[in-house]
Amino acid sequence: MKRNISLTLMYDGSSLHGWQMQENAATVQGHLTDALERILGHKVTLYGCSRTDCGVHANTFCCNFRTERETPCEKIKVGANALVPESIAVLSAEEKPEGFNARFDCKGKEYVYKVWNSRVRNPFYTNRALHHPISLDEALLDKECKAFIGYHDFSAFCASGTEVQDKRRTVYDFSVRREGDLVLFTVKGDGFLYNMVRIMVGTLLDINSGKIPAGTLADIIESKDRLKAGITARACGLYLNKVFYDEI
């Protein structure tokens, strides 16, 4: 009888080429698969809750795999942490019902985008936050971002060429707040299109600079036109913060 094991991870994506395994590139899936195969002594197929891009981080990431080995979950966790790079940490390992799938059972996600908003860069946030030296009006941006909340077609906020046909998603909450020189953009929804959060943040940054007029986000969403939205913010500031499997 095969066991279905779920792992919860966190990782710094600065030196990684995203989640998904690639030839000749260091990825989270690749490192973790190698570690698990060494521990269990057989081929492992990992199913991830998301496909984070090169340079994107995760405070919480879930994946699952199957094995016939009776290796205790705690031993899998400890062994994996000993074998993966220091940029990856396995927080927990637990058995799940046979039908559980980290991707398809996921009911929603929360992302945080970090902006270091100071004229002087912070070396400790290099590749871990976007350095934006122009002053941000977090109160204005918190007001503007509420236009994203609701069930919308987000065609204007996904990378061109995406193969997903249905671009309708529900955003449950969006907020912008300041903690000193760090400005945090937090968005929670039932799912996100390719580069959707980064384009949302980039559009808000363009509203802050006046490149896009305030009060026009609803019209941009309605237009479904990528050219009317703003820039795609760099990957370095993006964190998959939470993954929801019960209630969002």
Side-chain angles (χ1 to χ4, degrees):
M1 190 73 178
K2 284 193 175 182
R3 301 160 66 209
N4 191 5
I5 309 296
S6 170
L7 303 177
T8 301
L9 324 172
M10 67 188 308
Y11 54 84
D12 174 355
S14 302
S15 61
L16 300 166
H17 288 258
W19 159 260
Q20 192 169 8
M21 195 178 296
Q22 303 174 40
E23 289 187 17
N24 304 316
T27 68
V28 182
Q29 188 182 33
H31 283 305
L32 191 56
T33 297
D34 289 345
L36 292 171
E37 289 180 351
R38 289 180 61 184
I39 295 165
L40 300 169
H42 64 75
K43 291 291 184 182
V44 169
T45 300
L46 273 174
Y47 302 93
C49 65
S50 182
R51 295 182 178 181
T52 57
D53 290 335
C54 179
V56 174
H57 318 286
N59 292 322
T60 305
F61 188 98
C62 294
C63 59
N64 72 291
F65 67 95
R66 289 173 172 79
T67 181
E68 293 182 348
R69 298 286 191 267
E70 294 300 323
T71 309
C73 286
E74 182 65 17
K75 187 173 181 179
I76 292 173
K77 183 187 82 169
V78 172
N81 279 321
L83 293 171
V84 296
E86 291 185 351
S87 56
I88 303 169
V90 179
L91 303 177
S92 66
E94 59 180 319
E95 290 198 41
K96 292 286 189 179
E98 170 59 28
F100 174 79
N101 183 286
R103 177 185 175 190
F104 295 114
D105 287 345
C106 180
K107 292 181 170 59
K109 297 167 186 162
E110 179 182 272
Y111 283 91
V112 172
Y113 193 95
K114 298 182 180 182
V115 176
W116 181 254
N117 188 214
S118 169
R119 293 184 66 181
V120 179
R121 67 183 180 274
N122 185 332
F124 294 103
Y125 279 111
T126 299
N127 295 324
R128 293 176 181 84
L130 176 69
H131 178 215
H132 189 80
I134 300 170
S135 179
L136 292 178
D137 183 342
E138 67 276 7
L140 168 67
L141 298 185
D142 185 62
K143 179 182 177 180
E144 288 291 312
C145 73
K146 305 309 181 193
F148 288 123
I149 297 174
Y151 179 65
H152 305 292
D153 184 323
F154 283 99
S155 294
F157 295 88
C158 70
S160 58
T162 182
E163 297 178 357
V164 176
Q165 297 300 312
D166 186 358
K167 298 181 177 64
R168 293 170 295 180
R169 299 291 186 273
T170 300
V171 170
Y172 297 110
D173 194 21
F174 204 137
S175 66
V176 181
R177 74 179 195 279
R178 179 181 289 276
E179 295 180 357
D181 287 330
L182 195 64
V183 178
L184 304 173
F185 297 70
T186 304
V187 57
K188 179 165 62 175
D190 63 357
F192 295 89
L193 301 165
Y194 183 52
N195 281 353
M196 179 172 160
V197 177
R198 292 167 59 190
I199 297 170
M200 287 172 153
V201 173
T203 302
L204 290 169
L205 294 178
D206 280 349
I207 289 173
N208 184 83
S209 68
K211 293 178 182 177
I212 294 176
T216 61
L217 267 181
D219 293 334
I220 295 172
I221 294 170
E222 185 67 25
S223 76
K224 304 175 189 176
D225 184 354
R226 173 67 186 93
L227 295 178
K228 292 187 177 180
I231 61 170
T232 302
R234 290 176 54 204
C236 62
L238 186 60
Y239 294 72
L240 176 56
N241 194 47
K242 296 179 182 177
V243 184
F244 301 96
Y245 286 97
D246 297 316
E247 293 184 7
I248 302 176

